[in-house]
Each structure stands twice: as structure tokens, then as C-alpha cells.
Amino acid sequence: MTSRGSSGFYSSIRGAGPSDSRPTGGWRAVVLLVAVMALIITTLDVATPADFRARALLGLVPIMVALLAPVTVTAVVTGLLICVYVGLQAVAPLPTSGSWAVLGPLMIGTGGLLGVLIARRREEQRARVQALTDIAEATQRAVMRGLPERFEDLRIADFYQPAARAARVGGDWYDFQPSPYGVRAVLGDVSGKGLPAVSASAWLLGAFREAAYHEERIEEVARRLEIAMQRYSAWTRITNDEGLTDAFSTGLLLHFPPTAPEYLDVVNFGHEPPLVVTADGRVHTPDLPAGLPLGMGTLGAAAPGMARLPFGVGDTLILFTDGVTECRDEDGTFYPVRERLPRLLSSRGAQESPEALLRLLAEDLREHRYGPPSDDAAITVIRRTAQRAPYVNEADAELYAYRPKEPADTADTAVRGAVAQYATDMRFLECASRSISSTKASA
């Protein structure tokens, strides 16, 4: 499986990574600032009467430089300015040259000392911010891990735009997981915003990555996701955490069965249906039965059912969250993705790469949006290809090698056991939730 590089489409569409250069503009900005200020002050000093001592303003330059440059550069600039001042005294001495010969360099030195202190303080703060940024970056990568360009016979491209500035994750969550039973994928949207939504997304992604690999039946993966959402809410109540005590999440759970490469299995947890672009360029919305969102299994409704959709070679699936459909323009009109996509696709749109399709849709969404994003937005484009992506080595291939399904009678028993276990777990969680609420009320 090929991995997407940090400088590729993945990082450019998701938001560029932190730059190694200084955010202030680098050395050119420092040199330009010193040159311009020194030139202006020197010109004023030469052009104005002798009683106007403009050269004393050189003491302000190190303070301005300290806002852009490190300690060493600030100190070097201070020394150069003292030399400039001495040169001006030699070329155009002031009437009271005796006192100003000492007072002028003293003022510049004082400005340089202040500049050095400012630069040192700024660098310490920058180092602390960088350390926090590195920790946040590692945490975010653990939640929303990088994805390869290909999984088995699937080619993928993804777009993520959190509503919070400078963030890389939010309440929208998605992932892919190869398994011995086929590739599984998920995309969802947690209720709420901010850190509680990120925490809930992390719970769901962790549950998906484990269940999607170990569980043979996609219905069992769906059950495990429901349990994970219930466990998250129960844990926030137990710990009295500032989380989403009654969290829920819409979502789409996908399964690409290796024994039926022309089909796709979908479980819909009350999410926006995806868009399908067939190999001949037709765009349509599949008819999917919608179940309750994750976290609402205690309401007594049956578990969401699975739907099988045609998905052959050349077909493309586009999944998105409500941050796309509820994106508003200047007039408050929602983004009509189901109407806009057929217009965006050219006559050869179905043959465009998933990355090109995603970029086309993301740019059109950005043009439609008025102001900053008000909600997290995620888009995933999946295309089935005739070629299969090879694994790096035989050990990896063996890890995900297909395992034959169990016999029909055993599978039927497993279905009945899973349904019974689902009902038992739901009753247990409902009782636990009521018990916790009663304890808090008594306290």
C-alpha cells in the first residue's frame, strides 16, 4: 500500500503542516526593517537643523528588531547602530558633541538591552508554544491518522476542515481499516463541538479500528460502535467530565466484501446518504434505510440494517458530513452538493482521479461559503479500481489475508448470538445509566 507524503495532496487539502521558517518573514524582513529605519533616521538627522537630534531615535531600532529576530541578531544590530551613530558624529557633529558622544550610544545601548530582553522572552514563549504544538500534533495524528492512497482495490482521497482555527480534528471522524474479511471504512459526525466532540470521536475511532479488523460480520462492527458511544457517555457521567454526557453520532459504516467485488455493504446510522458516480459518469443518491444515530440504541429500536449496493470497477463513492450540506453562502443558502456535483463533472469527470474530484468539490465548497466555516466538514472519495495495491512485505499481506467465512449454520447461530448480545448490552447500559443518574440525584 502506498502512503501519502506530507507534501502531497493529503496535507495540502487538509491544511499545510507547520512551517520551519519563522512566521515573521525571515531574514529579509529583518534586514529590510533595519535598513529602512536606519535610512529614515539618518536622512532626518542630516536634513534637519542641528538642534533636532534625530540620530537619538536609533535607540528604537533594536526594540523593533527584537519583535522579528532572535537575541543574537538583536545584539549585532545594536552594535552596528552604535557604529552608525559614531559615524554620524564624525561626519556631522552636534553642537554639544561632548555630552551626546556618550549619551547617544548609551541610549542605543539601552534600547539594545531592552530589545535583547524582549527577544529572549519571545523565544522562550515560542519554544513553549512549539512544544505544545508538537504534543497537539501527535495527539491529532493519533486520532485522525494519515491514510494511504490505496487500500486493496480501492483508491481514496480525503478532505477535512475543522471549524476551529489551527485545529486538525473536530467532531467529524472517518477512517479505513483493512481486515481478513475485507476493507472497512467509516465516516461520522459527533454531536457538539470542541474538545468533547474530539474526545467522542477518539472513542469511536478506537472502537472501529479494533472491531473492523477482528469482527467478521459488519453488523457486529456496528454493534461495537454503538457500545463504544454508550460507554463514552457513561464514562463522562461517572467521572463528571465536561464531555458529552448524552453524546450521539451519525455515521456510515462501509464494508467491501472480497467475495463480491462488485458490491458494497452499508450500515446507515442516521447519516447523509452518499453520492455514487458510476463508471459512465452518472451521479445518483442510493436508497439506504436509515437507522438511529450511534448512542441511541437504548431507545429500544432495532439495530440499523445492512444494505448492499452495486459498486463495480470504475464506480466512485463520495461521503460527506453536514458541514458540507449546511455550508451557507452570503444569502444563507445551503450548499446543494447533490445538485452541484453533476454540474461540476465534465464529460470525462468519471475518469478523473479521486484527488481531482475531491479538489474540484472542495474548491467549489470554499467558493460557496461566506465567512469562516461554522461547522466541521469532511469529504471522502472512494473509487474501486481493477488493480490491487500490493503490501510492502509478505508479513503484512498475511496479516490481512482473506479468511473464509464460517458455514451457513454457524453464521446463523452467530447472527442470533449477536442480536441477543446487542439487546443484553443495551439493557445493561440503560440500567447503568439510570443507576448513575439516581446516585448523582441522591448526592
Side-chain angles (χ1 to χ4, degrees):
M1 292 185 182
T2 56
S3 178
R4 210 178 314 224
S6 59
S7 60
F9 177 75
Y10 176 81
S11 56
S12 64
I13 213 66
R14 260 186 141 179
S19 174
D20 293 332
S21 61
R22 293 184 178 274
T24 53
W27 295 105
R28 293 183 179 180
V30 176
V31 173
L32 183 62
L33 175 65
V34 173
V36 170
M37 292 190 68
L39 180 61
I40 292 175
I41 293 173
T42 303
T43 302
L44 285 174
D45 189 83
V46 174
T48 53
D51 57 348
F52 182 73
R53 301 173 178 85
R55 64 189 64 175
L57 296 176
L58 290 172
L60 298 176
V61 178
I63 299 177
M64 299 299 296
V65 171
L67 300 177
L68 303 177
V71 173
T72 304
V73 175
T74 305
V76 170
V77 169
T78 302
L80 292 176
L81 292 174
I82 293 177
C83 294
V84 171
Y85 185 90
V86 173
L88 286 175
Q89 282 290 97
V91 174
L94 295 173
T96 56
S97 58
S99 61
W100 278 97
V102 177
L103 185 59
L106 182 61
M107 294 178 62
I108 297 175
T110 302
L113 179 60
L114 291 175
V116 167
L117 294 176
I118 293 173
R120 181 178 178 181
R121 180 65 174 172
R122 183 179 57 81
E123 286 195 330
E124 290 176 351
Q125 292 179 345
R126 184 172 182 269
R128 285 195 293 268
V129 171
Q130 185 62 47
L132 293 175
T133 301
D134 292 341
I135 295 173
E137 185 79 10
T139 304
Q140 290 168 344
R141 287 183 181 275
V143 176
M144 293 292 291
R145 60 183 180 181
L147 299 176
E149 294 178 352
R150 292 180 179 273
F151 272 120
E152 299 287 348
D153 59 346
L154 303 175
R155 185 173 178 179
I156 63 174
D158 61 303
F159 165 84
Y160 197 103
Q161 183 180 64
R165 289 187 177 182
R168 290 185 61 184
V169 291
D172 291 358
W173 53 288
Y174 60 90
D175 204 356
F176 286 74
Q177 180 61 57
S179 79
Y181 315 107
V183 176
R184 277 75 186 267
V186 70
L187 179 140
D189 184 4
V190 174
S191 60
K193 297 181 181 179
L195 292 178
V198 176
S199 177
S201 299
W203 277 66
L204 289 168
L205 285 170
F208 167 75
R209 290 163 186 166
E210 287 301 306
Y213 177 80
H214 290 289
E215 300 296 342
E216 178 179 348
R217 304 186 66 256
I218 195 64
E219 292 88 347
E220 181 64 15
V221 179
R223 187 186 73 86
R224 294 274 294 272
L225 288 175
E226 171 64 30
I227 297 299
M229 191 79 269
Q230 290 289 334
R231 287 173 56 202
Y232 169 79
S233 297
W235 189 256
T236 57
R237 290 189 291 266
I238 293 171
T239 59
N240 198 23
D241 191 12
E242 295 181 359
L244 303 172
T245 55
D246 294 307
F248 65 90
S249 175
T250 62
L252 290 171
L253 178 60
L254 312 179
H255 171 59
F256 300 88
T259 56
E262 68 279 5
Y263 290 102
L264 161 69
D265 297 333
V266 184
V267 178
N268 186 2
F269 299 98
H271 195 78
E272 284 274 355
L275 281 169
V276 177
V277 183
T278 59
D280 56 4
R282 292 182 294 108
V283 181
H284 70 278
T285 301
D287 185 16
L288 293 177
L292 290 176
L294 293 167
M296 295 186 175
T298 55
L299 297 180
M306 184 194 73
R308 173 157 287 190
L309 305 176
F311 191 68
V313 173
D315 291 345
T316 304
L317 191 70
I318 302 177
L319 295 81
F320 44 86
T321 60
D322 59 6
V324 175
T325 56
E326 295 179 4
C327 176
R328 298 175 182 266
D329 62 7
E330 188 174 2
D331 299 327
T333 304
F334 290 128
Y335 180 69
V337 61
R338 303 187 189 279
E339 291 76 20
R340 292 288 286 269
L341 185 61
R343 302 175 189 174
L344 291 174
L345 293 177
S346 61
S347 57
R348 57 188 296 268
Q351 285 71 45
E352 294 286 354
S353 66
E355 291 84 358
L357 282 176
L358 180 60
R359 189 179 296 278
L360 189 68
L361 188 57
E363 290 178 352
D364 190 63
L365 179 67
R366 185 178 65 250
E367 292 177 1
H368 177 87
R369 187 183 67 241
Y370 178 73
S374 58
D375 194 8
D376 304 329
I379 307 173
T380 303
V381 179
I382 309 170
R383 174 170 297 168
R384 174 157 273 159
T385 62
Q387 297 80 24
R388 301 181 68 86
Y391 288 91
V392 176
N393 53 52
E394 294 183 2
D396 292 348
E398 179 63 25
L399 188 65
Y400 300 112
Y402 171 66
R403 300 171 188 168
K405 290 185 177 181
E406 298 176 349
D409 54 346
T410 307
D412 292 339
T413 302
V415 172
R416 292 192 295 271
V419 173
Q421 184 64 40
Y422 181 88
T424 301
D425 289 340
M426 289 300 99
R427 287 195 297 270
F428 171 77
L429 287 171
E430 186 174 8
C431 293
S433 176
R434 291 174 179 173
S435 176
I436 294 167
S437 301
S438 300
T439 303
K440 287 189 173 183
S442 301

